[in-house]
Amino acid sequence: MSTPLGPVDGTVVPRYAGASTFARLPRVDEVDVFDVAVIGAPFDGGVSFRPGARFGPSSIRQASRHLRPAYNPAQDVAPYQVLQAVDAGDVPCNPFDIDAALQQIDDGVTELLASGARPVLLGGDHTIALGGLRAVARTHGPVALIHFDAHLDTWNSYFGADRTHGTVFRRAHEEGLLIQDAGTHVGIRGPLYDARDLTDDARFGFEIVRAEDLDRIGRDEVLDRVRRRVGDAPVYLSIDIDVLDPAFAPGTGTPEMGGLTSRELLALVRALPPEQLVAADLVEVSPPYDHAEITSLAAATLGYEITSLMARADRAAHTQGGEP
Ligand code: MN
Ligand code: MN
């Protein structure tokens, strides 16, 4: 394996200057082969309340300048020395046609998967996950979903629309993109339109870990539940930033009180099974409602932790294969 082309060196070019890619990684056209690709999906035509997530990708990239990406002590890995990560730019999502936008996301992610890379999507509202999951399931087969969110996102329809940010995992279930009984929602809370939302969700084979369960059963038990559900299946990780409490992520479309702290969420994400992670998305950052880049910084940091997980998986694989 040749030495990866890393991010711009923050000790040479200050972090607020220079490239505006995610974590100041190289652009996809600057390298021949890559292991991980961050790709923006600036689409928010599926939201039910506050819009603005179309500005998420550029805002997350801007906030990612705060990162010092060389070494991640929390996961003991120098992610961008272990794997070649790139920023693949944005999918040009049609702002007026949900199906067209989903197809464009599917095409963009399919292209990355065909080159052997693991995609990390930056939303966009949660609708974009359907495009990502379609592409991933076509390549890897059905996946186990690990879903961090205040909301189930398994409604049937909203105002007659069946492809929205609140219905995306019901559609994914119906389309056979998810492994039955392998998926978990973590961080669920808030009132519902109908108690039947919960029974429907259970019928689709999801398990719910409510936000308050974290206090009651603790982080390790939550992680055990998630891991038991996943088994050894390929994992698609979907993080709706509204899983965080509005104190930690005000810039989002449908905030709910009583959410996770950023420290809790980081600890959970860092402890997910690295080897099985084939793709991820980070969605629902709405910069117009953000203050002081709080929400975008949370998403940027999570993106860094996700790519660090992927690097740990690669490092373990190289070690097993006898490579340095
Ligand atoms: Mn949500
Ligand atoms: Mn969501």
Side-chain angles (χ1 to χ4, degrees), residues 149 151 240 242:
D149 204 321
H151 312 99
D240 183 326
D242 72 26

Side-chain angles (χ1 to χ4, degrees), residues 40-290:
F43 177 82
D44 62 7
V47 300
S48 56
F49 208 97
R50 295 171 177 170
R54 67 180 61 184
F55 301 109
S58 58
S59 184
I60 296 167
R61 287 189 179 100
Q62 170 65 22
S64 75
R65 289 176 178 278
H66 289 280
L67 300 168
R68 282 172 290 272
Y71 177 64
N72 183 344
Q75 297 199 49
D76 186 25
V77 68
Y80 307 138
Q81 290 173 32
V82 173
L83 50 68
Q84 179 65 64
V86 298
D87 189 323
D90 287 341
V91 174
C93 300
N94 185 322
F96 302 111
D97 186 330
I98 291 183
D99 286 327
L102 286 173
Q103 188 60 54
Q104 288 168 309
I105 294 162
D106 185 340
D107 292 345
V109 174
T110 296
E111 195 178 325
L112 296 175
L113 290 165
S115 65
R118 278 153 290 176
V120 179
L121 286 82
L122 307 179
D125 75 50
H126 222 149
T127 316
I128 68 138
L130 189 55
L133 278 165
R134 284 172 177 167
V136 166
R138 207 178 306 109
T139 299
H140 293 284
V143 288
L145 177 70
I146 302 178
H147 172 212
F148 290 91
D149 204 321
H151 312 99
L152 300 169
D153 294 353
T154 51
W155 278 346
N156 188 32
S157 66
Y158 193 58
F159 285 84
D162 63 7
R163 282 148 349 283
T164 76
H165 77 157
T167 62
V168 61
F169 295 120
R170 186 158 174 155
R171 296 290 94 78
H173 163 75
E174 291 167 350
E175 293 180 23
L177 311 179
L178 305 176
I179 299 172
Q180 181 77 19
D181 299 322
T184 311
H185 312 287
V186 182
I188 300 302
R189 60 192 189 273
L192 304 171
Y193 287 122
D194 193 325
R196 207 182 56 193
D197 292 359
L198 296 169
T199 48
D200 279 353
D201 190 78
R203 195 158 51 81
F204 305 143
F206 294 105
E207 184 165 307
I208 296 172
V209 176
R210 297 185 57 82
E212 54 268 32
D213 290 340
L214 257 175
D215 300 324
R216 198 170 51 79
I217 62 176
R219 183 207 311 161
D220 290 345
E221 174 60 23
V222 170
L223 285 163
D224 280 350
R225 284 191 192 180
V226 169
R227 288 197 210 98
R228 271 200 301 271
R229 300 271 297 166
V230 164
D232 55 8
V235 169
Y236 184 100
L237 171 63
S238 188
I239 302 180
D240 183 326
I241 205 69
D242 72 26
V243 72
L244 291 174
D245 190 85
F248 298 90
T252 194
T254 47
E256 301 285 349
M257 299 305 290
L260 276 56
T261 68
S262 45
R263 192 164 63 227
E264 285 172 331
L265 181 58
L266 286 170
L268 288 168
V269 168
R270 286 167 179 155
L272 294 176
E275 306 80 19
Q276 292 152 255
L277 189 55
V278 294
D281 66 50
L282 280 164
V283 297
E284 299 284 351
V285 172
S286 178
Y289 293 94
D290 206 5

